[in-house]
Amino acid sequence: MSVLVAVLVTAVVISWLHASPGSEVAMLSLSEDQELPAHQSEFYRDVLVTEDFHGLTAIYLRPDSTSQANDGGCVQLVASRENTRVEPTFGCGAGPFPADVVMKVTQIAPRELRNRYGVGSTLRFTVVGEDEPYFVRVESVGPAPR
């Protein structure tokens, strides 16, 4: 009996150690064909864009040959609709680390995001894919979605 308990405890600890820090809630496609939010179009050229995610849009700036430091590209979250504020959220990748950004859902986040995840929740947006097509994996690392 004690051997069985030891095996079960070991299995639980190993699975806990290998578990990701957050639970995946979405996988968003990045595309050149997806349109930028209208209020952002003059700021960006030659980027990949996701569809709307509860009032947010992710914009991926691919690695640039002029920058060795950010060779994983950069990702920024913007409001999908004009006259909606979003805390500045921007992150770049380097070497083996992908472009990602972590954001806390605040009172000024889009209403759809606050309704789905709640103020105080934390979301992580990570660009995944070695070559196009790229995706943005969204993980919830805060309270469980509502």
mmCIF file of all heavy atoms in Angstrom, residues 26-71:
data_model
loop_
_atom_site.group_PDB
_atom_site.id
_atom_site.type_symbol
_atom_site.label_atom_id
_atom_site.label_comp_id
_atom_site.label_asym_id
_atom_site.label_seq_id
_atom_site.Cartn_x
_atom_site.Cartn_y
_atom_site.Cartn_z
ATOM 1 N N ALA A 26 -7.073 30.245 -26.049
ATOM 2 C CA ALA A 26 -7.326 30.522 -27.466
ATOM 3 C C ALA A 26 -6.035 30.363 -28.253
ATOM 4 O O ALA A 26 -4.934 30.503 -27.717
ATOM 5 C CB ALA A 26 -7.863 31.931 -27.662
ATOM 6 N N MET A 27 -6.207 30.095 -29.540
ATOM 7 C CA MET A 27 -5.102 30.085 -30.497
ATOM 8 C C MET A 27 -5.572 30.956 -31.653
ATOM 9 O O MET A 27 -6.504 30.602 -32.368
ATOM 10 C CB MET A 27 -4.790 28.667 -30.955
ATOM 11 C CG MET A 27 -3.537 28.560 -31.778
ATOM 12 S SD MET A 27 -2.006 28.871 -30.889
ATOM 13 C CE MET A 27 -1.682 27.274 -30.172
ATOM 14 N N LEU A 28 -4.960 32.121 -31.790
ATOM 15 C CA LEU A 28 -5.380 33.106 -32.785
ATOM 16 C C LEU A 28 -4.451 33.069 -33.992
ATOM 17 O O LEU A 28 -3.231 33.099 -33.843
ATOM 18 C CB LEU A 28 -5.351 34.511 -32.177
ATOM 19 C CG LEU A 28 -6.073 34.696 -30.845
ATOM 20 C CD1 LEU A 28 -5.819 36.094 -30.294
ATOM 21 C CD2 LEU A 28 -7.551 34.435 -31.009
ATOM 22 N N SER A 29 -5.019 33.025 -35.181
ATOM 23 C CA SER A 29 -4.219 33.045 -36.414
ATOM 24 C C SER A 29 -3.703 34.445 -36.680
ATOM 25 O O SER A 29 -4.432 35.421 -36.517
ATOM 26 C CB SER A 29 -5.073 32.621 -37.610
ATOM 27 O OG SER A 29 -5.500 31.312 -37.480
ATOM 28 N N LEU A 30 -2.451 34.532 -37.103
ATOM 29 C CA LEU A 30 -1.868 35.791 -37.561
ATOM 30 C C LEU A 30 -1.872 35.765 -39.080
ATOM 31 O O LEU A 30 -1.482 34.773 -39.687
ATOM 32 C CB LEU A 30 -0.430 35.936 -37.065
ATOM 33 C CG LEU A 30 -0.276 36.389 -35.620
ATOM 34 C CD1 LEU A 30 1.110 36.060 -35.097
ATOM 35 C CD2 LEU A 30 -0.542 37.886 -35.512
ATOM 36 N N SER A 31 -2.312 36.858 -39.695
ATOM 37 C CA SER A 31 -2.442 36.871 -41.146
ATOM 38 C C SER A 31 -2.155 38.261 -41.706
ATOM 39 O O SER A 31 -2.473 39.275 -41.080
ATOM 40 C CB SER A 31 -3.869 36.457 -41.517
ATOM 41 O OG SER A 31 -4.110 36.660 -42.883
ATOM 42 N N GLU A 32 -1.574 38.280 -42.911
ATOM 43 C CA GLU A 32 -1.412 39.542 -43.635
ATOM 44 C C GLU A 32 -2.760 40.020 -44.161
ATOM 45 O O GLU A 32 -2.946 41.203 -44.415
ATOM 46 C CB GLU A 32 -0.455 39.355 -44.816
ATOM 47 C CG GLU A 32 0.967 39.148 -44.418
ATOM 48 C CD GLU A 32 1.877 38.908 -45.613
ATOM 49 O OE1 GLU A 32 1.387 38.490 -46.689
ATOM 50 O OE2 GLU A 32 3.085 39.128 -45.466
ATOM 51 N N ASP A 33 -3.684 39.089 -44.351
ATOM 52 C CA ASP A 33 -4.989 39.426 -44.914
ATOM 53 C C ASP A 33 -5.942 40.025 -43.891
ATOM 54 O O ASP A 33 -6.914 40.684 -44.259
ATOM 55 C CB ASP A 33 -5.633 38.184 -45.532
ATOM 56 C CG ASP A 33 -4.789 37.620 -46.665
ATOM 57 O OD1 ASP A 33 -4.097 38.407 -47.345
ATOM 58 O OD2 ASP A 33 -4.802 36.392 -46.848
ATOM 59 N N GLN A 34 -5.692 39.766 -42.615
ATOM 60 C CA GLN A 34 -6.543 40.325 -41.562
ATOM 61 C C GLN A 34 -6.290 41.833 -41.488
ATOM 62 O O GLN A 34 -5.143 42.266 -41.460
ATOM 63 C CB GLN A 34 -6.218 39.662 -40.223
ATOM 64 C CG GLN A 34 -7.089 40.087 -39.074
ATOM 65 C CD GLN A 34 -8.510 39.557 -39.203
ATOM 66 O OE1 GLN A 34 -8.729 38.471 -39.716
ATOM 67 N NE2 GLN A 34 -9.450 40.331 -38.747
ATOM 68 N N GLU A 35 -7.343 42.606 -41.471
ATOM 69 C CA GLU A 35 -7.185 44.056 -41.461
ATOM 70 C C GLU A 35 -6.854 44.574 -40.064
ATOM 71 O O GLU A 35 -7.381 44.081 -39.072
ATOM 72 C CB GLU A 35 -8.460 44.725 -41.963
ATOM 73 C CG GLU A 35 -8.670 44.528 -43.443
ATOM 74 C CD GLU A 35 -9.814 45.371 -43.977
ATOM 75 O OE1 GLU A 35 -10.069 46.456 -43.430
ATOM 76 O OE2 GLU A 35 -10.444 44.928 -44.938
ATOM 77 N N LEU A 36 -6.001 45.588 -40.053
ATOM 78 C CA LEU A 36 -5.713 46.287 -38.802
ATOM 79 C C LEU A 36 -6.963 47.033 -38.354
ATOM 80 O O LEU A 36 -7.771 47.445 -39.195
ATOM 81 C CB LEU A 36 -4.605 47.321 -39.022
ATOM 82 C CG LEU A 36 -3.184 46.819 -39.056
ATOM 83 C CD1 LEU A 36 -2.288 47.854 -39.706
ATOM 84 C CD2 LEU A 36 -2.705 46.510 -37.656
ATOM 85 N N PRO A 37 -7.126 47.241 -37.054
ATOM 86 C CA PRO A 37 -8.209 48.122 -36.629
ATOM 87 C C PRO A 37 -8.043 49.478 -37.322
ATOM 88 O O PRO A 37 -6.923 49.967 -37.480
ATOM 89 C CB PRO A 37 -8.003 48.232 -35.116
ATOM 90 C CG PRO A 37 -7.276 46.971 -34.745
ATOM 91 C CD PRO A 37 -6.394 46.679 -35.927
ATOM 92 N N ALA A 38 -9.140 50.069 -37.751
ATOM 93 C CA ALA A 38 -9.100 51.301 -38.554
ATOM 94 C C ALA A 38 -8.277 52.410 -37.897
ATOM 95 O O ALA A 38 -7.555 53.132 -38.573
ATOM 96 C CB ALA A 38 -10.520 51.789 -38.822
ATOM 97 N N HIS A 39 -8.348 52.529 -36.576
ATOM 98 C CA HIS A 39 -7.628 53.598 -35.893
ATOM 99 C C HIS A 39 -6.130 53.318 -35.747
ATOM 100 O O HIS A 39 -5.388 54.158 -35.252
ATOM 101 C CB HIS A 39 -8.253 53.869 -34.519
ATOM 102 C CG HIS A 39 -8.194 52.696 -33.592
ATOM 103 N ND1 HIS A 39 -9.019 51.599 -33.736
ATOM 104 C CD2 HIS A 39 -7.403 52.438 -32.538
ATOM 105 C CE1 HIS A 39 -8.739 50.720 -32.794
ATOM 106 N NE2 HIS A 39 -7.768 51.205 -32.061
ATOM 107 N N GLN A 40 -5.656 52.164 -36.202
ATOM 108 C CA GLN A 40 -4.239 51.818 -36.122
ATOM 109 C C GLN A 40 -3.564 51.784 -37.487
ATOM 110 O O GLN A 40 -2.344 51.660 -37.570
ATOM 111 C CB GLN A 40 -4.079 50.432 -35.474
ATOM 112 C CG GLN A 40 -4.539 50.353 -34.046
ATOM 113 C CD GLN A 40 -3.618 51.108 -33.111
ATOM 114 O OE1 GLN A 40 -2.430 51.205 -33.323
ATOM 115 N NE2 GLN A 40 -4.197 51.674 -32.068
ATOM 116 N N SER A 41 -4.329 51.874 -38.551
ATOM 117 C CA SER A 41 -3.780 51.614 -39.885
ATOM 118 C C SER A 41 -2.630 52.532 -40.289
ATOM 119 O O SER A 41 -1.755 52.120 -41.036
ATOM 120 C CB SER A 41 -4.886 51.667 -40.939
ATOM 121 O OG SER A 41 -5.475 52.936 -40.954
ATOM 122 N N GLU A 42 -2.589 53.760 -39.800
ATOM 123 C CA GLU A 42 -1.507 54.643 -40.220
ATOM 124 C C GLU A 42 -0.206 54.376 -39.459
ATOM 125 O O GLU A 42 0.845 54.872 -39.833
ATOM 126 C CB GLU A 42 -1.916 56.119 -40.075
ATOM 127 C CG GLU A 42 -2.001 56.607 -38.650
ATOM 128 C CD GLU A 42 -3.408 56.567 -38.073
ATOM 129 O OE1 GLU A 42 -4.310 55.956 -38.662
ATOM 130 O OE2 GLU A 42 -3.606 57.165 -37.009
ATOM 131 N N PHE A 43 -0.252 53.571 -38.415
ATOM 132 C CA PHE A 43 0.939 53.342 -37.594
ATOM 133 C C PHE A 43 1.763 52.129 -38.039
ATOM 134 O O PHE A 43 2.929 52.034 -37.708
ATOM 135 C CB PHE A 43 0.553 53.150 -36.127
ATOM 136 C CG PHE A 43 -0.131 54.338 -35.537
ATOM 137 C CD1 PHE A 43 -1.455 54.260 -35.144
ATOM 138 C CD2 PHE A 43 0.529 55.545 -35.390
ATOM 139 C CE1 PHE A 43 -2.099 55.356 -34.603
ATOM 140 C CE2 PHE A 43 -0.096 56.648 -34.850
ATOM 141 C CZ PHE A 43 -1.421 56.555 -34.455
ATOM 142 N N TYR A 44 1.163 51.191 -38.727
ATOM 143 C CA TYR A 44 1.830 49.929 -39.027
ATOM 144 C C TYR A 44 1.827 49.623 -40.517
ATOM 145 O O TYR A 44 0.862 49.876 -41.204
ATOM 146 C CB TYR A 44 1.134 48.768 -38.301
ATOM 147 C CG TYR A 44 1.181 48.904 -36.804
ATOM 148 C CD1 TYR A 44 0.107 49.429 -36.110
ATOM 149 C CD2 TYR A 44 2.305 48.492 -36.088
ATOM 150 C CE1 TYR A 44 0.151 49.557 -34.728
ATOM 151 C CE2 TYR A 44 2.350 48.619 -34.715
ATOM 152 C CZ TYR A 44 1.275 49.149 -34.045
ATOM 153 O OH TYR A 44 1.313 49.282 -32.690
ATOM 154 N N ARG A 45 2.914 49.009 -40.976
ATOM 155 C CA ARG A 45 3.025 48.532 -42.343
ATOM 156 C C ARG A 45 3.666 47.149 -42.304
ATOM 157 O O ARG A 45 4.542 46.892 -41.476
ATOM 158 C CB ARG A 45 3.912 49.462 -43.186
ATOM 159 C CG ARG A 45 3.404 50.890 -43.279
ATOM 160 C CD ARG A 45 2.250 51.003 -44.275
ATOM 161 N NE ARG A 45 1.817 52.367 -44.409
ATOM 162 C CZ ARG A 45 0.747 52.881 -43.813
ATOM 163 N NH1 ARG A 45 0.014 52.151 -43.032
ATOM 164 N NH2 ARG A 45 0.401 54.132 -43.984
ATOM 165 N N ASP A 46 3.240 46.268 -43.179
ATOM 166 C CA ASP A 46 3.847 44.948 -43.313
ATOM 167 C C ASP A 46 3.887 44.181 -41.987
ATOM 168 O O ASP A 46 4.951 43.791 -41.504
ATOM 169 C CB ASP A 46 5.262 45.064 -43.904
ATOM 170 C CG ASP A 46 5.796 43.713 -44.315
ATOM 171 O OD1 ASP A 46 4.991 42.859 -44.771
ATOM 172 O OD2 ASP A 46 7.006 43.477 -44.169
ATOM 173 N N VAL A 47 2.721 44.014 -41.405
ATOM 174 C CA VAL A 47 2.599 43.283 -40.146
ATOM 175 C C VAL A 47 1.586 42.149 -40.309
ATOM 176 O O VAL A 47 0.827 42.110 -41.274
ATOM 177 C CB VAL A 47 2.149 44.204 -38.987
ATOM 178 C CG1 VAL A 47 3.207 45.240 -38.677
ATOM 179 C CG2 VAL A 47 0.814 44.859 -39.284
ATOM 180 N N LEU A 48 1.580 41.249 -39.347
ATOM 181 C CA LEU A 48 0.578 40.204 -39.279
ATOM 182 C C LEU A 48 -0.376 40.559 -38.149
ATOM 183 O O LEU A 48 0.044 41.086 -37.113
ATOM 184 C CB LEU A 48 1.230 38.841 -39.014
ATOM 185 C CG LEU A 48 2.250 38.377 -40.055
ATOM 186 C CD1 LEU A 48 2.894 37.073 -39.613
ATOM 187 C CD2 LEU A 48 1.604 38.225 -41.407
ATOM 188 N N VAL A 49 -1.667 40.255 -38.346
ATOM 189 C CA VAL A 49 -2.696 40.703 -37.414
ATOM 190 C C VAL A 49 -3.615 39.530 -37.070
ATOM 191 O O VAL A 49 -3.884 38.680 -37.921
ATOM 192 C CB VAL A 49 -3.529 41.853 -38.055
ATOM 193 C CG1 VAL A 49 -4.590 42.360 -37.116
ATOM 194 C CG2 VAL A 49 -2.617 42.982 -38.501
ATOM 195 N N THR A 50 -4.113 39.498 -35.838
ATOM 196 C CA THR A 50 -5.100 38.483 -35.438
ATOM 197 C C THR A 50 -6.505 39.046 -35.574
ATOM 198 O O THR A 50 -6.693 40.260 -35.697
ATOM 199 C CB THR A 50 -4.939 38.051 -33.967
ATOM 200 O OG1 THR A 50 -5.216 39.163 -33.109
ATOM 201 C CG2 THR A 50 -3.566 37.486 -33.695
ATOM 202 N N GLU A 51 -7.474 38.152 -35.509
ATOM 203 C CA GLU A 51 -8.862 38.581 -35.408
ATOM 204 C C GLU A 51 -9.076 39.148 -34.008
ATOM 205 O O GLU A 51 -8.211 39.040 -33.138
ATOM 206 C CB GLU A 51 -9.816 37.412 -35.695
ATOM 207 C CG GLU A 51 -9.752 36.282 -34.680
ATOM 208 C CD GLU A 51 -8.738 35.195 -34.999
ATOM 209 O OE1 GLU A 51 -7.819 35.400 -35.815
ATOM 210 O OE2 GLU A 51 -8.855 34.115 -34.385
ATOM 211 N N ASP A 52 -10.220 39.746 -33.798
ATOM 212 C CA ASP A 52 -10.574 40.319 -32.496
ATOM 213 C C ASP A 52 -10.617 39.224 -31.434
ATOM 214 O O ASP A 52 -11.132 38.131 -31.656
ATOM 215 C CB ASP A 52 -11.944 40.995 -32.613
ATOM 216 C CG ASP A 52 -12.436 41.497 -31.266
ATOM 217 O OD1 ASP A 52 -11.920 42.524 -30.802
ATOM 218 O OD2 ASP A 52 -13.305 40.830 -30.672
ATOM 219 N N PHE A 53 -10.072 39.521 -30.268
ATOM 220 C CA PHE A 53 -10.137 38.627 -29.116
ATOM 221 C C PHE A 53 -10.692 39.439 -27.951
ATOM 222 O O PHE A 53 -9.970 40.159 -27.277
ATOM 223 C CB PHE A 53 -8.746 38.075 -28.766
ATOM 224 C CG PHE A 53 -8.736 37.202 -27.546
ATOM 225 C CD1 PHE A 53 -9.207 35.904 -27.600
ATOM 226 C CD2 PHE A 53 -8.266 37.697 -26.338
ATOM 227 C CE1 PHE A 53 -9.207 35.103 -26.461
ATOM 228 C CE2 PHE A 53 -8.257 36.905 -25.205
ATOM 229 C CZ PHE A 53 -8.730 35.605 -25.270
ATOM 230 N N HIS A 54 -11.995 39.378 -27.774
ATOM 231 C CA HIS A 54 -12.680 40.069 -26.666
ATOM 232 C C HIS A 54 -12.286 41.545 -26.573
ATOM 233 O O HIS A 54 -12.042 42.072 -25.493
ATOM 234 C CB HIS A 54 -12.424 39.364 -25.340
ATOM 235 C CG HIS A 54 -12.844 37.932 -25.335
ATOM 236 N ND1 HIS A 54 -14.166 37.554 -25.373
ATOM 237 C CD2 HIS A 54 -12.124 36.787 -25.318
ATOM 238 C CE1 HIS A 54 -14.241 36.231 -25.364
ATOM 239 N NE2 HIS A 54 -13.028 35.743 -25.349
ATOM 240 N N GLY A 55 -12.191 42.208 -27.742
ATOM 241 C CA GLY A 55 -11.887 43.637 -27.769
ATOM 242 C C GLY A 55 -10.420 43.971 -27.980
ATOM 243 O O GLY A 55 -10.050 45.137 -28.024
ATOM 244 N N LEU A 56 -9.572 42.952 -28.107
ATOM 245 C CA LEU A 56 -8.145 43.167 -28.352
ATOM 246 C C LEU A 56 -7.748 42.594 -29.705
ATOM 247 O O LEU A 56 -8.322 41.606 -30.159
ATOM 248 C CB LEU A 56 -7.295 42.464 -27.286
ATOM 249 C CG LEU A 56 -7.425 42.921 -25.854
ATOM 250 C CD1 LEU A 56 -6.579 42.026 -24.950
ATOM 251 C CD2 LEU A 56 -7.013 44.374 -25.702
ATOM 252 N N THR A 57 -6.748 43.190 -30.320
ATOM 253 C CA THR A 57 -6.141 42.677 -31.540
ATOM 254 C C THR A 57 -4.640 42.597 -31.296
ATOM 255 O O THR A 57 -4.049 43.535 -30.757
ATOM 256 C CB THR A 57 -6.418 43.609 -32.735
ATOM 257 O OG1 THR A 57 -7.829 43.657 -32.961
ATOM 258 C CG2 THR A 57 -5.730 43.125 -33.993
ATOM 259 N N ALA A 58 -4.028 41.476 -31.668
ATOM 260 C CA ALA A 58 -2.575 41.334 -31.568
ATOM 261 C C ALA A 58 -1.954 41.658 -32.918
ATOM 262 O O ALA A 58 -2.442 41.210 -33.960
ATOM 263 C CB ALA A 58 -2.201 39.922 -31.136
ATOM 264 N N ILE A 59 -0.893 42.441 -32.882
ATOM 265 C CA ILE A 59 -0.152 42.828 -34.079
ATOM 266 C C ILE A 59 1.268 42.282 -33.926
ATOM 267 O O ILE A 59 1.926 42.519 -32.911
ATOM 268 C CB ILE A 59 -0.113 44.356 -34.245
ATOM 269 C CG1 ILE A 59 -1.536 44.896 -34.365
ATOM 270 C CG2 ILE A 59 0.747 44.753 -35.435
ATOM 271 C CD1 ILE A 59 -1.617 46.408 -34.325
ATOM 272 N N TYR A 60 1.720 41.535 -34.940
ATOM 273 C CA TYR A 60 3.058 40.940 -34.893
ATOM 274 C C TYR A 60 3.960 41.623 -35.911
ATOM 275 O O TYR A 60 3.661 41.641 -37.101
ATOM 276 C CB TYR A 60 2.973 39.443 -35.181
ATOM 277 C CG TYR A 60 4.310 38.738 -35.175
ATOM 278 C CD1 TYR A 60 5.154 38.791 -34.073
ATOM 279 C CD2 TYR A 60 4.717 38.005 -36.282
ATOM 280 C CE1 TYR A 60 6.371 38.135 -34.063
ATOM 281 C CE2 TYR A 60 5.934 37.332 -36.284
ATOM 282 C CZ TYR A 60 6.747 37.402 -35.170
ATOM 283 O OH TYR A 60 7.960 36.753 -35.178
ATOM 284 N N LEU A 61 5.039 42.186 -35.427
ATOM 285 C CA LEU A 61 6.057 42.798 -36.274
ATOM 286 C C LEU A 61 7.160 41.763 -36.421
ATOM 287 O O LEU A 61 7.847 41.432 -35.439
ATOM 288 C CB LEU A 61 6.604 44.070 -35.626
ATOM 289 C CG LEU A 61 5.610 45.228 -35.479
ATOM 290 C CD1 LEU A 61 4.732 45.040 -34.270
ATOM 291 C CD2 LEU A 61 6.353 46.522 -35.389
ATOM 292 N N ARG A 62 7.279 41.217 -37.603
ATOM 293 C CA ARG A 62 8.252 40.153 -37.837
ATOM 294 C C ARG A 62 9.677 40.640 -37.592
ATOM 295 O O ARG A 62 9.940 41.844 -37.649
ATOM 296 C CB ARG A 62 8.108 39.627 -39.253
ATOM 297 C CG ARG A 62 6.820 38.858 -39.431
ATOM 298 C CD ARG A 62 6.639 38.457 -40.858
ATOM 299 N NE ARG A 62 5.928 39.544 -41.536
ATOM 300 C CZ ARG A 62 5.180 39.398 -42.588
ATOM 301 N NH1 ARG A 62 5.050 38.225 -43.154
ATOM 302 N NH2 ARG A 62 4.543 40.414 -43.122
ATOM 303 N N PRO A 63 10.599 39.682 -37.365
ATOM 304 C CA PRO A 63 11.997 40.079 -37.164
ATOM 305 C C PRO A 63 12.493 40.921 -38.327
ATOM 306 O O PRO A 63 12.138 40.681 -39.474
ATOM 307 C CB PRO A 63 12.739 38.743 -37.100
ATOM 308 C CG PRO A 63 11.707 37.752 -36.722
ATOM 309 C CD PRO A 63 10.410 38.246 -37.306
ATOM 310 N N ASP A 64 13.289 41.889 -38.010
ATOM 311 C CA ASP A 64 13.814 42.838 -38.993
ATOM 312 C C ASP A 64 15.305 42.573 -39.161
ATOM 313 O O ASP A 64 16.020 42.395 -38.178
ATOM 314 C CB ASP A 64 13.574 44.255 -38.456
ATOM 315 C CG ASP A 64 13.946 45.335 -39.433
ATOM 316 O OD1 ASP A 64 14.964 45.188 -40.132
ATOM 317 O OD2 ASP A 64 13.225 46.337 -39.488
ATOM 318 N N SER A 65 15.768 42.576 -40.373
ATOM 319 C CA SER A 65 17.187 42.313 -40.620
ATOM 320 C C SER A 65 18.086 43.404 -40.048
ATOM 321 O O SER A 65 19.283 43.211 -39.901
ATOM 322 C CB SER A 65 17.435 42.175 -42.122
ATOM 323 O OG SER A 65 17.081 43.362 -42.783
ATOM 324 N N THR A 66 17.526 44.567 -39.701
ATOM 325 C CA THR A 66 18.329 45.650 -39.147
ATOM 326 C C THR A 66 18.531 45.507 -37.647
ATOM 327 O O THR A 66 19.334 46.222 -37.061
ATOM 328 C CB THR A 66 17.675 47.026 -39.423
ATOM 329 O OG1 THR A 66 16.396 47.064 -38.778
ATOM 330 C CG2 THR A 66 17.519 47.267 -40.912
ATOM 331 N N SER A 67 17.818 44.587 -37.001
ATOM 332 C CA SER A 67 17.940 44.442 -35.550
ATOM 333 C C SER A 67 18.336 43.017 -35.188
ATOM 334 O O SER A 67 17.597 42.082 -35.443
ATOM 335 C CB SER A 67 16.620 44.804 -34.866
ATOM 336 O OG SER A 67 16.697 44.491 -33.491
ATOM 337 N N GLN A 68 19.481 42.868 -34.585
ATOM 338 C CA GLN A 68 19.926 41.570 -34.092
ATOM 339 C C GLN A 68 19.320 41.286 -32.707
ATOM 340 O O GLN A 68 19.175 40.141 -32.321
ATOM 341 C CB GLN A 68 21.450 41.550 -33.977
ATOM 342 C CG GLN A 68 22.159 41.744 -35.304
ATOM 343 C CD GLN A 68 22.193 40.471 -36.108
ATOM 344 O OE1 GLN A 68 22.372 39.402 -35.553
ATOM 345 N NE2 GLN A 68 22.019 40.578 -37.418
ATOM 346 N N ALA A 69 18.971 42.335 -31.969
ATOM 347 C CA ALA A 69 18.499 42.174 -30.588
ATOM 348 C C ALA A 69 17.125 41.529 -30.511
ATOM 349 O O ALA A 69 16.866 40.721 -29.621
ATOM 350 C CB ALA A 69 18.495 43.522 -29.877
ATOM 351 N N ASN A 70 16.220 41.902 -31.396
ATOM 352 C CA ASN A 70 14.847 41.386 -31.353
ATOM 353 C C ASN A 70 14.613 40.417 -32.498
ATOM 354 O O ASN A 70 13.687 40.565 -33.278
ATOM 355 C CB ASN A 70 13.839 42.543 -31.429
ATOM 356 C CG ASN A 70 13.978 43.478 -30.266
ATOM 357 O OD1 ASN A 70 14.341 43.078 -29.177
ATOM 358 N ND2 ASN A 70 13.706 44.747 -30.490
ATOM 359 N N ASP A 71 15.441 39.381 -32.571
ATOM 360 C CA ASP A 71 15.357 38.457 -33.693
ATOM 361 C C ASP A 71 14.165 37.510 -33.616
ATOM 362 O O ASP A 71 13.971 36.680 -34.489
ATOM 363 C CB ASP A 71 16.662 37.686 -33.879
ATOM 364 C CG ASP A 71 17.030 36.828 -32.673
ATOM 365 O OD1 ASP A 71 16.322 36.856 -31.649
ATOM 366 O OD2 ASP A 71 18.055 36.126 -32.764
#
